[in-house]
Amino acid sequence: MKENIPLTMKDIARELGISVATVSRALKNSPRISEERRLLIQQYAREHNFTPNVLAESLRHSRVQPMKVIGVIIPEFAHYYFSTILHGIEEEASARGYRIMVAQSGEHYEREVQLCQSFFENKVCGIIVSQAKDTQKYDHFQRLIDAGVPLVFYDRICTGVNASRVVVDDYMGAFNAVTHLFDTGCRRIAFFGSRMNLEIAKNRFNGYKDALLKHGLPFLPEFTRICDNRRDAEMMTPELFNGDRYPDAFFAVNDDTALGILYTAKRMGLRVPEDISICGFTNDVHAVASDPMLTTVEQYGMKVGEEAADILISHVEGAIPITRAEKRIVRTRLIIRGTTR
């Protein structure tokens, strides 16, 4: 057998010179197969890492028509942006006769590895995934590709694996946001972002830095923090006001962080946007529920999901060769509201 190619019952039958039905019965411990032959078949299956097609088996015993199923891994169900992407994936998949099987990594590498293996064992026709924050090894993704499983990344992509991907234009989204802050009179612009192992974090940080350079503003390391959630933002924001020089604006990697900055600034007695301006990145439902409403970058999660599903299905159906990594970019849009001047 070729390395990394999933073994089937047909392969076992061919190698042992028996029928597929005999293999199936032996793996189910059927008394119709002699113990000697049953043990021989089971041992061969174990030695060659055979995994049963759980999904296909359940569908064979179902009265419904077998469905084409796509595996989807999201980092967090509760995150607004990922939920909009999931909506887009489901809409596109359903319109084209596919169903989705969804699971959450919880931002954990080990869970992500388990989910990839589980989807593989269930013989999904392909997998759409946004990698977890702490994922820094990519062997589990490469194994899927080597086994011929179509794989599409969205939002958080893995540059170490040659696979299809859909991203938003993170760089220009950040660049335009910081340019808006400059155009409205801000000159000391702080940055709260994610760890740099994520490609989106690098792109948004580079957009921030290049916008500063473009407009002749200095990059101040003391005005940057690894901070991508509300809790940390509430803890770290006061730190930037302890010295003689403090920010007059914040650009945050997501809305959750931006709202943490807003809440803390108001608690400190700062006026928004008169004393400091704040811009986020996502445009989630809380952006219009804050006071003042949040200026932010719209990511169009629904469109990201639709594009990811379209690429995956195109790989499955042969419209895009599985060996070709399709790359698509969804444009962003700055939405100006009350937290900027």
Side-chain angles (χ1 to χ4, degrees), residues 128-319:
I128 299 174
V129 58
S130 181
Q131 74 175 62
K133 282 182 182 178
D134 64 356
T135 295
Q136 298 188 51
K137 295 188 294 184
Y138 313 111
D139 295 352
H140 54 303
F141 294 136
Q142 190 60 54
R143 283 195 295 270
L144 292 170
I145 294 172
D146 292 343
V149 179
L151 185 66
V152 178
F153 289 101
Y154 66 90
D155 189 54
R156 301 179 191 165
I157 63 173
C158 174
T159 56
V161 173
N162 186 33
S164 293
R165 60 197 61 179
V166 181
V167 296
V168 301
D169 195 347
D170 294 295
Y171 174 88
M172 283 308 302
F175 186 94
N176 291 336
V178 175
T179 295
H180 168 66
L181 292 171
F182 173 82
D183 289 343
T184 54
C186 301
R187 295 296 181 267
R188 301 180 304 279
I189 305 171
F191 176 80
F192 279 16
S194 300
R195 287 177 293 173
M196 292 300 161
N197 64 303
L198 296 174
E199 199 67 16
I200 62 169
K202 296 176 187 176
N203 290 337
R204 292 178 194 180
F205 181 61
N206 289 336
Y208 160 78
K209 285 184 67 176
D210 286 354
L212 296 180
L213 179 64
K214 167 78 173 179
H215 300 296
L217 300 180
F219 168 67
L220 303 173
E222 64 268 29
F223 281 2
T224 65
R225 293 289 187 277
I226 300 301
C227 175
D228 61 5
N229 60 75
R230 178 167 182 154
R231 183 193 64 186
D232 289 348
E234 291 179 10
M235 178 181 66
M236 294 182 183
T237 299
E239 297 174 1
L240 275 67
F241 292 88
N242 287 335
D244 296 331
R245 183 168 57 177
Y246 52 85
D248 60 6
F250 286 80
F251 171 62
V253 72
N254 57 44
D255 286 355
D256 191 45
T257 303
L259 292 172
I261 297 168
L262 173 60
Y263 171 81
T264 305
K266 292 173 69 175
R267 191 181 63 196
M268 293 171 62
L270 296 168
R271 297 170 301 161
V272 179
E274 292 83 0
D275 296 327
I276 62 166
S277 291
I278 302 167
C279 182
F281 205 115
T282 302
N283 194 32
D284 73 17
V285 291
H286 299 105
V288 293
S290 63
D291 181 25
M293 291 191 289
L294 183 67
T295 293
T296 188
V297 178
E298 169 66 68
Q299 288 184 269
Y300 297 108
M302 182 87 171
K303 179 66 173 174
V304 171
E306 291 171 349
E307 293 288 340
D310 177 63
I311 295 173
L312 193 284
I313 294 169
S314 296
H315 279 315
V316 171
E317 297 181 349

Side-chain angles (χ1 to χ4, degrees), residues 66-83:
M67 305 300 291
K68 296 171 283 188
V69 180
I70 298 168
V72 181
I73 301 175
I74 68 173
E76 294 179 288
F77 281 122
H79 197 293
Y80 172 81
Y81 181 55
F82 292 129
S83 69

